[in-house]
Amino acid sequence: MSGLSHARQDGLMAAMDAIEVADGQCARGSPRWRRNRSIEVQRGFHDREFTILGWFALEYLILPESSSSKRRLVILISGRGSNMQALVRACRDEAWPAEVCAVIASRPDAAGLSWAHEQGIATGALYHKDFPNREAFDTALAEEIDRYQPDYVLLAGFMRVLTPGFVNHYAGRLVNIHPSLLPMFPGLHTHAQALATGVQLHGCTVHFVTPVLDHGPIIAQGCVPVHGGDTPDMLADRVLAVEHQAYPAAVRWLVEGRVHLTADQRVEVDGEPPRLFRGVDAA
Ligand code: GRF
């Protein structure tokens, strides 16, 4: 290029550089090769930067949003926890937009705890005898529950009367299943009460909890017939089977955001699904 002016030489060098950079051709170690390497390194660095940025966005911006769209559930039990198991299974098998974050028992020997633990669910237990009074127990229970920041707290055979302070703390987020067709037979021994009164239809109720015992807006009910010759245990088994239908269905509506309270404290469910579940032999 000796016969060319400096300006033309520079222009030609730049054009050749561009072609060689594009083609990846040039002698190893030459200024052009070094410049190409530098461009490649920068490109690689940018690629890595974008990969790292992408990972950060996924990990801290996108994924938390999708997992926060899952409703967080804490289930309280006192014993075998068959309703808790029905809820956990339905949540998992039907891929609810929810996760059961913890199962907490009112006694350390509650049989349902080991099942929950085997499912990989966090468990906890508070024993009421370790607390001086009901308020102290409920305060400690609320602290334990709130560690999981639940959207809903589900009482599933939780055999403790809760203080108004506790109930109000979870207003609109606390749900119970009671083994009778409320408002009939609040309290204990509901199956014996049903047999004693001669009702022909018995069942269960899923309801929001209010400070009044076994009372509150009804989300779903399940019904079974009462047969002549039934014992309380026979009736309890029949009711339990329909509890395992009604409770998961009601909680699914909740986590899907379909449950609303009217001004007069009645429940409405979007899509108006049937809210009465019939047990096996309740035609
Ligand atoms: C169920 O009948 C529930 O309605 C009542 O206690 C029983 C608990 O059973 N509150 P499980 O522990 O869910 O098996």
Side-chain angles (χ1 to χ4, degrees), residues 77-85 155-159 176-180 190-191 204-205 236 239-240 243-244:
I77 63 169
S78 292
R80 70 189 157 186
S82 70
N83 276 291
M84 174 271 293
Q85 294 184 24
L155 308 180
F158 189 71
M159 304 303 286
N176 182 42
I177 185 156
H178 180 76
S180 82
T190 56
H191 310 302
C204 66
T205 303
V239 171
L240 193 65
E243 289 184 38
H244 296 167

Side-chain angles (χ1 to χ4, degrees), residues 59-248:
E59 193 72 11
Y60 293 104
L61 302 173
I62 298 166
L63 286 180
E65 203 170 301
S66 57
S67 60
S68 75
S69 67
K70 283 192 163 189
R71 301 274 77 86
R72 299 173 63 79
L73 307 175
V74 168
I75 305 178
L76 306 189
I77 63 169
S78 292
R80 70 189 157 186
S82 70
N83 276 291
M84 174 271 293
Q85 294 184 24
L87 291 165
V88 169
R89 286 201 179 96
C91 180
R92 186 181 55 204
D93 298 348
E94 298 169 14
W96 293 357
E99 62 180 316
V100 177
C101 301
V103 172
I104 300 170
S106 64
R107 39 189 317 140
D109 59 353
L113 283 178
S114 50
W115 185 88
H117 180 70
E118 283 162 18
Q119 308 304 306
I121 300 169
T123 57
L126 288 86
Y127 196 30
H128 65 93
K129 290 193 175 163
D130 294 337
F131 296 87
N133 53 44
R134 208 170 273 283
E135 280 72 22
F137 176 85
D138 281 8
T139 301
L141 179 62
E143 276 172 16
E144 177 69 10
I145 293 170
D146 289 346
R147 286 175 50 209
Y148 300 98
Q149 302 187 312
D151 294 290
Y152 293 103
V153 178
L154 310 173
L155 308 180
F158 189 71
M159 304 303 286
R160 298 264 320 157
V161 174
L162 295 160
T163 55
F166 181 96
V167 172
N168 291 332
H169 180 63
Y170 297 106
R173 300 189 289 143
L174 189 58
V175 179
N176 182 42
I177 185 156
H178 180 76
S180 82
L181 290 169
L182 289 174
M184 274 188 294
F185 315 136
L188 296 173
H189 311 301
T190 56
H191 310 302
Q193 289 189 61
L195 291 175
T197 55
V199 292
Q200 299 298 297
L201 201 64
H202 187 42
C204 66
T205 303
V206 182
H207 64 100
F208 285 110
V209 178
T210 66
V212 181
L213 182 68
D214 296 329
H215 172 271
I218 291 171
I219 306 170
Q221 288 190 306
C223 64
V224 298
V226 180
H227 299 313
D230 271 348
T231 64
D233 284 348
M234 290 161 71
L235 199 46
D237 287 347
R238 202 173 302 133
V239 171
L240 193 65
V242 81
E243 289 184 38
H244 296 167
Q245 298 175 50
Y247 208 2

